[in-house]
Amino acid sequence: ELRLARTMIDATIRPLPSGFTSVFFDLPSENQPVLAIRLSGYSCATFELMTARYMPTYRPRSPWRDISNDAVSDSGSDILGWREAADWIGPV
């Protein structure tokens, strides 16, 4: 798949910061909020962090969803890695 190939190239060119799990090694539990990382489209930053969920059952063709349930790829690059968000976000 073209998207997977692009993600592999991006991950090879820009290694993930420590603490993030590559999407090529493991995926988060379905529908659990995570801090997702992707390449930034801006020249002032290498990576962009966002709160996202991995939802392959809900949207098999576009499983990464942002917190408002929009496809992550609609607003930029695909997700390269993730880390648990439980320590960072929670109910208010």
Side-chain angles (χ1 to χ4, degrees):
E1 182 177 326
L2 181 60
R3 185 179 332 149
L4 188 58
R6 268 194 329 255
T7 303
M8 179 63 83
I9 291 168
D10 290 346
T12 303
I13 293 172
R14 301 280 191 226
L16 293 176
S18 65
F20 285 91
T21 302
S22 170
V23 295
F24 295 108
F25 294 118
D26 196 13
L27 291 168
S29 299
E30 187 163 347
N31 205 25
Q32 294 300 312
V34 297
L35 291 178
I37 190 169
R38 65 183 180 179
L39 286 182
S40 175
Y42 301 100
S43 60
C44 62
T46 303
F47 295 107
E48 177 182 2
L49 286 176
M50 63 189 315
T51 307
R53 296 179 293 164
Y54 182 68
M55 304 173 71
T57 302
Y58 177 67
R59 297 281 190 195
R61 292 181 190 246
S62 184
W64 285 100
R65 313 305 282 186
D66 67 17
I67 204 69
S68 65
N69 211 30
D70 292 332
V72 166
S73 56
D74 287 352
S75 63
S77 302
D78 291 314
I79 300 298
L80 298 176
W82 60 278
R83 67 185 299 170
E84 293 291 335
D87 295 336
W88 293 84
I89 61 173
V92 234

